Amino acid sequence: MNIILFGPPGAGKGTQGDYLVKDLNFYKISTGDLLRNEINKKTKLGIQIKTTIDRGSLVANTIIKDLVENTISYHSVTKNLIFDGYPRNLNQVNDLDYLLKKYVKKISCVLNLKVSEEIITKRILGRELCEKCGRIFNQFFNPSTEKNHPCGSQYLQKRSDDKKQIIITRYSTYTKETLPVLDYYKNVNLLHEIDGDDKISNIYEEIRRIIDPLGT
Ligand code: ADP
């Protein structure tokens, strides 16, 4: 089974994807994470990617396609895949279709986390990432505590694109370029809508209600 997690920036795709990885042994392909890995390498490409991300725009499709193909080709045999934050425009939908055919895979469902703009802003402004264990927390909704996070708060970091002005541009990029992707998956009957404003645990239950009957 291969799944696409869809939704605006800050919808909680990463959080839900991590739960699915832990419980159901998926491999998660997050294009945002792949890009941030590239930035951390401090290559020329990484610097170029950081400039684009910090503007709130989408990174070029060719760069994304290469990163995704490297990952799919490596993990294609053993694992079911979750795509998080990909595809983000109609060209990427075509690229993904091409890659799925090449590696003999199919998308089983597309889960759309629907979230209001007000909640998105709060989720993004509160978002913190542990640089040691990679887990995502939120100051307002899911704070890191001594009990739930043994690494401690000194490892928590904010993303450089999680600033108020950039969030507005990211949301408008989403509306203009990414939303049309939904119609495509609706037309091929793969789309499931989920109330992403709900609590993390309720959203996860809803996701499991949808995917568990689909088998493996
Ligand atoms: P969010 O979903 O909160 O925006 P991500 O980590 O998925 O967070 O993405 C962060 C940024 O990385 C995006 O704003 C965009 O600039 C870039 N990005 C991520 N995925 C893609 C993609 N598939 N195509 C183009 N750019 C992408």
Side-chain angles (χ1 to χ4, degrees), residues 52-149:
T52 309
I53 289 185
D54 285 352
R55 254 201 332 255
S57 310
L58 293 185
V59 173
N61 293 329
T62 46
I63 297 176
I64 301 287
K65 189 179 175 194
D66 285 349
L67 289 173
V68 172
E69 176 152 23
N70 286 343
T71 318
I72 292 189
S73 59
Y74 197 73
H75 294 281
S76 71
V77 186
T78 46
K79 293 261 187 171
N80 294 327
L81 302 173
I82 297 176
F83 294 95
D84 164 3
Y86 178 82
R88 273 193 203 221
N89 59 31
L90 291 171
N91 279 323
Q92 293 183 10
V93 169
N94 287 333
D95 290 342
L96 178 60
D97 275 348
Y98 163 84
L99 291 172
L100 291 170
K101 277 203 190 90
K102 184 167 171 182
Y103 293 96
V104 201
K105 290 197 165 281
K106 268 205 161 102
I107 296 297
S108 318
C109 67
V110 178
L111 303 170
N112 179 30
L113 300 179
K114 285 173 74 174
V115 187
S116 63
E117 205 175 342
E118 185 198 331
I119 292 209
I120 284 169
T121 311
K122 236 178 155 183
R123 284 200 187 151
I124 297 183
L125 289 177
R127 172 155 59 189
E128 294 174 323
L129 185 86
C130 176
E131 61 174 357
K132 197 168 172 207
C133 68
R135 284 177 58 202
I136 309 162
F137 295 92
N138 187 292
Q139 277 170 267
F140 310 115
F141 303 113
N142 176 31
S144 151
T145 60
E146 267 174 36
K147 220 166 149 199
N148 70 10
H149 185 220

Side-chain angles (χ1 to χ4, degrees), residues 167-199:
I167 297 169
I168 294 168
T169 315
R170 280 163 63 197
Y171 193 75
S172 112
T173 305
Y174 168 78
T175 315
K176 276 195 231 129
E177 299 184 46
T178 309
L179 263 184
V181 170
L182 270 191
D183 285 337
Y184 174 88
Y185 288 115
K186 198 172 179 182
N187 286 335
V188 292
N189 284 325
L190 286 176
L191 189 66
H192 295 262
E193 305 278 9
I194 290 173
D195 176 9
D197 279 352
D198 213 336
K199 271 187 1 200

